[in-house]
């Protein structure tokens, strides 16, 4: 009898753990907020944008459990990013990554990353003293951060922030719990709003020469890219909960049946 009770409790624990797993919670979040959920995607941005983001060109990445927001001015994706060194099977880094691609306007090009104790990189004039001790900035000498971005960086933990004309990536070197994904998305929205320039004010001549797509073509490509082959989860929350509950109960009864059979026929 105690063995059967132990098996029942174990099955209930497994069912609860499954129903509260990260992937299940992300799918529930996607349904509630009418987002797109993908278990995995090949790229977070369009090929043109990926080529300009240093983070994506310096190492191999895999992107899993991806949520996509379609904002009025940008596509924003949050995912679990895994960084791999060529020839190694295990990831060297794992963190929650946000990537955004504009559908209007553009941004200046820069790379902001944490300053290490051994880093002797000269302080960029765009960084105030408080930030210069925490970050290094790669940007043109005349580059200036808007005041809103300076305020955001002072309030945020150590992070990586990179922008390249139509795209922006951001992460804090850690895997965030599900309840902190919305604040991260709001933070990315603030960065986009502060950094985006009108389309009539290109950031540099280098970007104008490198870009071979018009803004309209880029928007069309972005729309196509975000429509990945997998279909979004569209079942209602109540239906999915019923499915999980039915699966859990069926699993519990199955284990009970097997345990009863073993006790009756094999133990004696």
């Amino acid at each position: 009898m105690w063995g059967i009770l132990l098996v029942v409790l174990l099955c209930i624990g497994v069912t609860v753990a499954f129903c509260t797993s990260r992937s299940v919670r992300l799918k529930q979040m996607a349904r509630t907020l009418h987002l797109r959920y993908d278990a995995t995607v090949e790229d977070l941005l369009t090929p043109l944008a990926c080529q300009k983001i240093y983070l994506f060109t310096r190492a191999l990445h895999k992107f899993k459990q991806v949520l996509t927001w379609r904002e009025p001015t940008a596509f924003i994706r949050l995912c679990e990013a895994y960084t791999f060194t060529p020839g190694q099977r295990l990831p060297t880094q794992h963190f929650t990554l946000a990537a955004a691609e504009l559908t209007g306007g553009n941004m200046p090009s820069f790379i902001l990353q944490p300053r290490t104790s051994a880093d002797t990189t000269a302080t960029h004039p765009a960084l105030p003293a408080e930030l210069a001790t925490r970050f290094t900035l790669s940007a043109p000498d005349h580059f200036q951060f808007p005041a809103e971005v300076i305020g955001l960086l002072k309030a945020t933990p150590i992070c990586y922030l990179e922008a390249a004309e139509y795209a922006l990536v951001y992460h804090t070197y850690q895997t965030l719990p599900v309840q902190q994904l919305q604040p991260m998305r709001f933070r990315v929205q603030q960065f986009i709003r502060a950094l985006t320039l009108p389309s009539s004010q290109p950031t540099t001549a280098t970007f104008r020469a490198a870009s071979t797509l018009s803004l309209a073509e880029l928007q069309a490509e972005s729309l196509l890219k975000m429509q990945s082959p997998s279909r979004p989860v569209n079942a209602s929350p109540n239906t999915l909960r019923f499915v999980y509950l039915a699966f859990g109960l069926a699993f519990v009864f199955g284990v009970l049946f097997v345990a009863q059979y073993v006790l009756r026929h094999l133990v004696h």
Side-chain angles (χ1 to χ4, degrees):
M1 182 63 185
W2 287 106
I4 295 178
L5 181 59
L6 180 61
V7 171
V8 172
L9 293 176
L10 179 61
C11 294
I12 293 175
V14 171
T15 302
V16 171
F18 173 78
C19 294
T20 57
S21 66
R22 185 178 182 87
S23 61
V24 171
R25 295 180 65 191
L26 288 173
K27 291 176 183 178
Q28 292 175 344
M29 181 178 177
R31 285 190 301 273
T32 302
L33 301 177
H34 305 288
L35 310 177
R36 183 177 188 86
Y37 172 86
D38 293 286
T40 182
V41 297
E42 184 176 353
D43 294 307
L44 291 183
L45 304 169
T46 57
L48 179 63
C50 286
Q51 293 172 6
K52 294 183 178 181
I53 294 294
Y54 175 67
L55 181 68
F56 295 154
T57 59
R58 70 179 180 182
L60 302 176
H61 291 83
K62 288 186 178 180
F63 310 109
K64 299 182 178 180
Q65 297 186 346
V66 185
L67 292 177
T68 302
W69 282 262
R70 183 174 179 176
E71 306 287 353
T73 59
F75 284 98
I76 298 178
R77 277 180 158 176
L78 267 62
C79 72
E80 304 308 306
Y82 298 81
T83 304
F84 292 84
T85 301
Q88 295 186 355
R89 299 181 60 183
L90 297 177
T92 56
Q93 286 184 307
H94 171 214
F95 47 81
T96 302
L97 175 66
E101 187 153 6
L102 302 184
T103 56
N106 51 26
M107 289 181 288
S109 174
F110 66 87
I111 300 175
L112 182 82
Q113 52 191 333
R115 180 182 291 275
T116 64
S117 57
D119 197 336
T120 58
T121 305
T123 301
H124 193 283
L127 291 177
E130 180 180 347
L131 294 180
T133 59
R134 301 169 56 198
F135 297 101
T136 61
L137 175 64
S138 300
D141 292 338
H142 62 273
F143 174 83
Q144 292 291 328
F145 273 131
E148 184 177 356
V149 173
I150 295 294
L152 291 171
L153 293 176
K154 288 181 178 180
T156 195
I158 290 297
C159 66
Y160 181 95
L161 180 65
E162 180 180 356
E165 192 172 14
Y166 298 109
L168 177 143
V169 292
Y170 167 77
H171 69 83
T172 57
Y173 295 92
Q174 57 185 325
T175 303
L176 300 179
V178 175
Q179 61 268 26
Q180 291 186 19
L181 295 185
Q182 276 284 52
M184 185 180 194
R185 171 215 170 197
F186 293 145
R187 178 64 57 84
V188 172
Q189 285 179 317
Q190 291 174 303
F191 281 128
I192 292 174
R193 182 172 58 250
L195 292 168
T196 301
L197 303 172
S199 299
S200 59
Q201 298 181 20
T203 53
T204 63
T206 303
F207 281 145
R208 291 198 300 272
S211 178
T212 59
L213 297 179
S214 67
L215 180 58
E217 290 171 330
L218 182 66
Q219 293 177 19
E221 184 182 1
S222 182
L223 287 169
L224 291 173
K225 183 66 177 178
M226 296 304 174
Q227 298 300 321
S228 60
S230 60
R231 298 181 61 185
V233 179
N234 53 16
S236 65
N238 291 333
T239 301
L240 194 61
R241 290 193 189 100
F242 177 78
V243 172
Y244 290 150
L245 180 60
F247 174 81
L249 291 176
F251 180 75
V252 170
F253 283 119
V255 173
L256 286 176
F257 177 80
V258 173
Q260 186 179 26
Y261 178 86
V262 171
L263 290 174
R264 285 185 177 182
H265 296 85
L266 300 180
V267 174
H268 299 291

